[in-house]
Amino acid sequence: MTPTNSRLALAAFALSASILSAQPALAAVACGSGNFDAWLADLKTDAAAKGISQQAITAGLAGVTLDQSVLNRDRSQKVFTQTFEEFSGRMVPPRMQRGSNMMKQYGSVLSRIEQAYGVPGEVLVAIWGLETDFGVNTGKFATIRSLATLAYDCRRSEQFRAELMDALRIVQRGDLAPADMKGAWAGELGQTQFMPSSWMKYAVDFDGNGKRDLLRNAPDVLASTANYLAGYGWQRGKDWQPGSPNFAVLQQWNKSEVYSKTVAYFATQLAHAP
């Protein structure tokens, strides 16, 4: 090798080494890095690369800060230990009368939803009542802030990062303004508590007003819930008792067998209500 070629080779080696040493600076800011603002700036770049509009990114993430109360709740979750008898006995009787009234009030809507998706109104109203007391208690946490906090935390970072991206897509699509996105501490939204990924996949504009509004619009809430269950294989005309294929679909709504049994029980009570 000539001296000139040798110098060129050494220069090339030095350049490649410098590029390699620079790689960590170009990598994504890690979860839990100690600098939430840097992580958020990196996330904004990632959102834009995924095709989310700058307008949605700016509107959704402006002024977002870490919410320690969300982390505290996430780390202090207790294992669900109530029996079916305890849980259903606490949840169903106080909601029976209102549930029966909702069946009557939304009877024609529920009938059209069943025709469209195959899911009976009793099941939808039971879920509606158990999740948020028919829309009374949807939660007061700022959804995007909660999701950003959980995405930054390293426990389930990728899961919540994906949910945060879908929350921004909800903004981009025009379903909700960021200020209206308030719900449960872990990012669930609306009267039957959809995660943003489920909202993007299953939310429907059932009343045809141009928006999928699961916060304020009961027909959209109920139809979207039916669409979710249908998407997981709900069998039209079949029952929903434990052991049935439709009960397995209810367990896709909530993995807890006690919760799913309570939905099934509540729905059966509503079906027999006068």
Side-chain angles (χ1 to χ4, degrees), residues 80-93 258 262:
F80 189 88
T81 57
Q82 292 182 63
T83 65
F84 164 68
E85 289 75 17
E86 289 167 340
F87 185 68
S88 63
R90 180 168 64 85
M91 298 296 286
V92 174
V258 167
T262 301

Side-chain angles (χ1 to χ4, degrees), residues 101-113 121:
N101 291 343
M102 291 298 187
M103 290 291 299
K104 297 182 180 75
Q105 181 177 343
Y106 292 100
S108 63
V109 171
L110 291 167
S111 178
R112 287 191 290 116
I113 290 171

Side-chain angles (χ1 to χ4, degrees), residues 20-253:
L20 286 171
S21 68
Q23 288 304 305
L26 300 175
V29 178
C31 64
S33 60
N35 190 333
F36 180 79
D37 290 339
W39 175 88
L40 191 63
D42 178 75
L43 181 125
K44 291 176 182 178
T45 302
D46 188 22
K50 286 178 163 61
I52 298 171
S53 71
Q54 199 57 54
Q55 183 178 5
I57 293 167
T58 301
L61 296 173
V64 167
T65 56
L66 193 76
D67 188 339
Q68 187 61 46
S69 70
V70 167
L71 294 179
N72 294 344
R73 283 174 180 255
D74 188 44
R75 287 165 184 163
S76 64
Q77 289 186 82
K78 295 180 174 61
V79 176
F80 189 88
T81 57
Q82 292 182 63
T83 65
F84 164 68
E85 289 75 17
E86 289 167 340
F87 185 68
S88 63
R90 180 168 64 85
M91 298 296 286
V92 174
R95 292 166 176 80
M96 265 305 301
Q97 186 60 56
R98 184 123 194 263
S100 187
N101 291 343
M102 291 298 187
M103 290 291 299
K104 297 182 180 75
Q105 181 177 343
Y106 292 100
S108 63
V109 171
L110 291 167
S111 178
R112 287 191 290 116
I113 290 171
E114 184 169 5
Q115 287 173 8
Y117 301 102
V119 182
E122 295 88 348
V123 173
L124 303 175
V125 170
I127 290 171
W128 193 18
L130 291 176
E131 289 289 346
T132 64
D133 270 340
F134 312 101
V136 173
N137 300 312
T138 57
K140 299 185 186 306
F141 284 84
T143 300
I144 290 176
R145 186 185 185 197
S146 290
L147 292 171
T149 296
L150 292 166
Y152 175 70
D153 188 50
C154 289
R155 288 186 67 202
R156 289 167 288 167
S157 181
E158 288 307 309
Q159 173 190 342
F160 283 104
R161 190 180 182 96
E163 293 291 348
L164 178 55
M165 295 296 180
D166 278 330
L168 295 175
R169 291 183 182 105
I170 291 170
V171 174
Q172 177 173 279
R173 195 163 70 177
D175 291 357
L176 291 174
D180 293 332
M181 296 175 77
K182 287 187 166 47
W185 65 265
E188 301 95 334
L189 271 168
Q191 295 190 26
T192 53
Q193 300 287 276
F194 272 37
M195 290 300 289
S197 58
S198 295
W199 183 304
M200 286 299 298
K201 190 170 183 179
Y202 297 111
V204 295
D205 172 21
F206 197 71
D207 67 352
N209 72 351
K211 288 193 174 182
R212 302 162 185 85
D213 184 355
L214 311 191
L215 285 179
R216 296 169 288 257
N217 186 309
D220 287 4
V221 168
L222 296 166
S224 300
T225 305
N227 190 32
Y228 180 104
L229 296 174
Y232 279 96
W234 187 274
Q235 295 184 16
R236 185 185 295 268
K238 301 291 179 66
D239 97 22
W240 51 77
Q241 296 308 315
S244 69
N246 284 340
F247 183 76
V249 174
L250 290 178
Q251 290 188 290
Q252 294 300 317
W253 180 270

